[in-house]
Amino acid sequence: MLKFPQASLSRYVIALLTVASALIVTLLLGTTTIPQPTVLFLTAVMLFLVAVMISAWHGGLRPGLLALVSSALAIGYLFLPKVSSPTAGLSDALRIALLLVVGAPITLIGAARKRAEEALRESEELHRITLNNISDAVFITDKKGVFTYVCPNANVIFGYSQAEVEAFGNISRLLGEGWFDPQKLKTEGEITNIEREITDKAGTRHVTLVNVKRVSIREGPYSTLAATSPSASGRRKNMPSVSASKRRGPKQKRRTAPRMSSSP
């Protein structure tokens, strides 16, 4: 099972920096622009909620919670009277509750978005590693055969680099014309074990197996996914000549070896 790196310390640092930025802006507004306490409080809540949202979207759940708690402490420091003050009461506590009640869903939504992004990134990395380390060549084309994706290891079978295959433009340059029945593919959705004789970059002709399937990426129009692999029958065609040459070797030696004459 692949292991991917966890969240780094920078996410927590960014969470604290966003809260500190919201605090600085609130202090500046309170001394210059918004002297009314109620308006300043609502403005501060909005600023700190933005800080929480940024922290959760960038760092995930824990950095988002850190920003939420830090914002609550900052709101308490700025707007709540001292504990010993007789004016401290329920209305002051509700100010903190307002930030927490609104900030908690924002944190959870941002964290869920971050997890989805990381899961997608890990899935893409896993598929990239898999495609780079298999012997099959995988291509995605539109309905006209024009390449929309070329796997990096196309050279294993065809001898051409990824850039060279992309420059061909159309998969028919590799597999020829009419290599599958479009109507059958539309009806069945997949055609397997299509034998095609191809010529690689070195000019060598050999047989390959092709599997073709209709796929829809991001609910878009259907594309064609083609995967090619070396054909077992193609490999077997070369075996008799090799084995025959090995069998002929000893016979040739016996024919060319001098005959020993018997002594009188």
Side-chain angles (χ1 to χ4, degrees):
M1 181 177 179
L2 291 176
K3 299 294 183 181
F4 296 90
Q6 301 298 318
S8 62
L9 184 62
S10 63
R11 298 181 181 181
Y12 296 94
V13 174
I14 291 175
L16 293 176
L17 288 176
T18 54
V19 174
S21 300
L23 177 60
I24 293 173
V25 173
T26 302
L27 292 173
L28 293 175
L29 291 176
T31 57
T32 58
T33 308
I34 309 178
Q36 297 85 357
T38 303
V39 178
L40 181 61
F41 168 74
L42 295 176
T43 304
V45 169
M46 295 300 297
L47 289 173
F48 284 113
L49 287 177
V50 171
V52 171
M53 180 180 64
I54 294 174
S55 302
W57 282 19
H58 179 268
L61 180 59
R62 293 181 180 179
L65 291 176
L66 175 62
L68 181 60
V69 173
S70 302
S71 298
L73 294 175
I75 289 289
Y77 170 77
L78 291 174
F79 296 99
L80 292 188
K82 303 299 181 181
V83 177
S84 58
S85 173
T87 59
L90 180 61
S91 61
D92 298 319
L94 288 177
R95 295 181 175 183
I96 299 292
L98 174 63
L99 178 67
L100 295 175
V101 169
V102 179
I106 293 177
T107 303
L108 295 176
I109 293 173
R113 176 181 175 274
K114 183 64 179 179
R115 286 196 301 269
E117 287 182 350
E118 291 180 345
L120 178 60
R121 190 180 301 110
E122 292 174 1
S123 177
E124 290 176 347
E125 178 69 10
L126 177 60
H127 283 80
R128 185 188 66 81
I129 293 174
T130 302
L131 289 175
N132 286 347
N133 289 276
I134 61 175
S135 59
D136 295 353
V138 179
F139 309 99
I140 299 178
T141 71
D142 62 12
K143 61 181 181 180
K144 295 181 179 180
V146 177
F147 290 118
T148 58
Y149 170 80
V150 176
C151 69
N153 60 342
N155 63 305
V156 174
I157 294 178
F158 298 93
Y160 296 101
S161 66
Q162 182 182 16
E164 289 174 326
V165 175
E166 290 174 347
F168 288 158
N170 198 292
I171 197 170
S172 61
R173 294 285 301 276
L174 294 177
L175 300 178
E177 299 287 348
W179 58 276
F180 74 95
D181 184 356
Q183 187 60 39
K184 182 179 179 181
L185 179 63
K186 184 177 181 180
T187 304
E188 301 182 5
E190 182 177 7
I191 307 175
T192 60
N193 296 331
I194 305 172
E195 283 200 353
R196 296 293 295 178
E197 187 177 77
I198 65 169
T199 303
D200 59 22
K201 185 177 181 179
T204 304
R205 301 181 64 85
H206 52 90
V207 178
T208 183
L209 287 179
V210 185
N211 298 321
V212 59
K213 184 175 182 179
R214 293 185 75 205
V215 294
S216 179
I217 301 175
R218 296 182 180 178
E219 299 182 356
Y222 279 100
S223 302
T224 301
L225 172 66
T228 62
S229 59
S231 171
S233 61
R235 290 193 298 266
R236 286 195 297 268
K237 289 178 181 179
N238 295 327
M239 291 177 63
S241 60
V242 175
S243 58
S245 63
K246 290 182 178 180
R247 288 194 299 268
R248 285 195 298 268
K251 293 181 180 179
Q252 291 174 353
K253 289 182 180 180
R254 284 195 295 269
R255 286 197 301 268
T256 57
R259 179 177 298 178
M260 300 295 293
S261 58
S262 57
S263 58

